[in-house]
Amino acid sequence: MNPPITDLDQIRALAAQQHDAFEVMRYMLEADDDLDDAQLDAWVEAVAKPIAAAIDCTRCANCCRSLDVYLTETDAQRLAEGVHIPLDHIMTRYIDRDSAAEVEEWGKFRARPCAFLDDKLCSVYAHRPESCRMYPAFTPDFRWTLADTIEGASLCPIIYNVLAALVNQVDEIVKSSLS
Ligand code: SF4
Ligand code: SF4
């Protein structure tokens, strides 16, 4: 495996260049009725795992700077207990319930970049919301969430490098589903 590309300017430019190729991959996978979802997800995870392991998120933190972070009531309680700040203070100062409700979520961090980001490190790492722990997720249902994943390729080096690797192998996986 070549070393993954991590420069954020380069990632943004390459993601724009490759956008059509990523979309072609999505059309191919969505049209392939012979390809089992579990088989496809296993292939994606096998490609994604070494790439994610080779990228140091503590030198990036672009997701913490760029994305809206949604959280659950359980996330808020865990955060309040972890940082020893009363829950009502966490709610008032850090969490926006109204704009989260507009997209049927429980809460959203008010600040972007995230208020808990300290340079490129999460200052509440052990107590961070579940959505932070899961990001970036490729599975389950890689095929049916690929449109959203493609949108993340310009900001996340893990996503870009994984999609670029998958594009190079998609013909092979589609052919294997026919055999
Ligand atoms: S809570 Fe931590 S991991 Fe989540 S967005 Fe904020 S800084 Fe990033
Ligand atoms: S998940 Fe992606 S955007 Fe977030 S820190 Fe890691 S490489 Fe950067």
Side-chain angles (χ1 to χ4, degrees), residues 21-126:
F22 294 161
E23 285 293 338
V24 169
M25 172 168 68
R26 182 167 72 85
Y27 293 137
M28 286 173 74
L29 293 173
E30 288 186 3
D32 187 350
D33 294 334
D34 296 311
L35 183 57
D36 178 70
D37 278 331
Q39 183 193 352
L40 175 60
D41 283 354
W43 169 64
V44 170
E45 284 302 329
V47 170
K49 204 170 170 186
I51 292 173
I55 293 179
D56 182 357
C57 287
T58 66
R59 298 172 70 121
C60 173
N62 204 30
C63 49
C64 306
R65 282 194 300 274
S66 313
L67 293 177
D68 285 334
V69 175
Y70 292 98
L71 67 168
T72 64
E73 190 171 8
T74 304
D75 287 325
Q77 285 164 345
R78 184 178 54 242
L79 180 60
E81 283 166 22
V83 297
H84 307 294
I85 295 176
L87 181 58
D88 59 350
H89 183 76
I90 290 275
M91 299 281 295
T92 309
R93 181 155 178 201
Y94 297 107
I95 298 173
D96 180 350
R97 296 288 314 275
D98 292 339
S99 65
E102 288 168 12
V103 290
E104 298 181 1
E105 295 281 353
W106 181 85
K108 183 176 97 170
F109 278 153
R110 290 186 190 283
R112 195 171 63 175
C114 178
F116 299 105
L117 187 63
D118 179 6
D119 190 16
K120 290 182 179 173
L121 297 180
C122 176
S123 63
V124 295
Y125 190 75

Side-chain angles (χ1 to χ4, degrees), residues 7-19 154 160:
D7 178 84
L8 291 173
D9 290 335
Q10 210 180 342
I11 290 290
R12 203 173 303 115
L14 288 170
Q17 279 172 28
Q18 288 267 63
H19 186 270
S154 62
Y160 171 76

